[in-house]
Amino acid sequence: MRTHVRPESSELPPVLQERRGDTTLVLAADDQGRELLCTATLRDGQEPIGGMTSVEDAQIARLAPDGVSTTFVVTSFREAMLQNGWQAEGSTAIAGDVGEDVTRMVLRTDAGPVVASLADGRFAAWWPIEDDHDRHPVVDAEVTTVDGKTRTVTLRERG
């Protein structure tokens, strides 16, 4: 039998979930400015790898219909000595708000282009990294709106 700890922040409803390969990203938020972003990689026979970050009083963005605002840009990284030598792996995750006319976001990352998930005025994405030299990277994204126009925006963590 497994016991799951339910921290207070877990009461936040999921806004979007994205699974690619062995890694799942979950973004949860409420209308009071509480947000939670979590990534977890689960592989048979290995301990879970991931990270979680939260904000209690995130400003709820008031965006233009084509606007984008970033809440989180966070990196999770782990190095471990395993039977076959050192293992190092990690990911960067990003989340925020989008205006009602935003239909697609493609992030330019060191791992190549990453398509962000969009739902209910929010976006989130993650990608693998090889080292953690930049814990809160700046990311450029190509944003597409309902009229088919595209533009490049720079995404930085609010702060």
Side-chain angles (χ1 to χ4, degrees):
M1 180 169 128
R2 287 187 166 170
T3 303
H4 298 279
V5 178
R6 294 186 56 109
E8 182 180 331
S9 61
S10 69
E11 296 172 4
L12 296 175
V15 175
L16 63 82
Q17 298 176 55
E18 171 186 275
R19 181 174 181 187
R20 283 187 283 127
D22 297 329
T23 301
T24 300
L25 174 142
V26 177
L27 174 64
D30 65 13
D31 59 1
Q32 304 302 307
R34 296 185 307 160
E35 299 182 18
L36 174 72
L37 180 65
C38 177
T39 58
T41 300
L42 302 172
R43 293 188 186 110
D44 290 341
Q46 292 186 2
E47 291 292 316
I49 300 168
M52 180 171 56
T53 189
S54 64
V55 197
E56 284 296 318
D57 296 313
Q59 293 179 340
I60 298 171
R62 307 242 189 273
L63 297 175
D66 66 347
V68 177
S69 178
T70 307
T71 305
F72 299 109
V73 182
V74 295
T75 297
S76 299
F77 198 77
R78 180 180 108 159
E79 293 179 300
M81 181 64 169
L82 302 176
Q83 282 183 324
N84 298 329
W86 280 97
Q87 177 185 12
E89 63 183 308
S91 63
T92 295
I94 187 167
D97 305 299
V98 293
E100 62 193 34
D101 288 353
V102 175
T103 59
R104 181 174 166 89
M105 285 181 64
V106 179
L107 311 176
R108 297 180 192 153
T109 75
D110 291 341
V114 174
V115 178
S117 294
L118 303 175
D120 297 326
R122 303 304 307 265
F123 78 90
W126 72 272
W127 58 94
I129 60 171
E130 294 182 12
D131 63 53
D132 63 346
H133 72 278
D134 192 355
R135 304 286 296 168
H136 299 277
V138 174
V139 180
D140 287 331
E142 183 177 283
V143 177
T144 304
T145 53
V146 70
D147 59 6
K149 293 181 182 175
T150 61
R151 65 188 173 94
T152 299
V153 298
T154 299
L155 307 174
R156 291 181 177 87
E157 188 170 66
R158 290 183 204 159

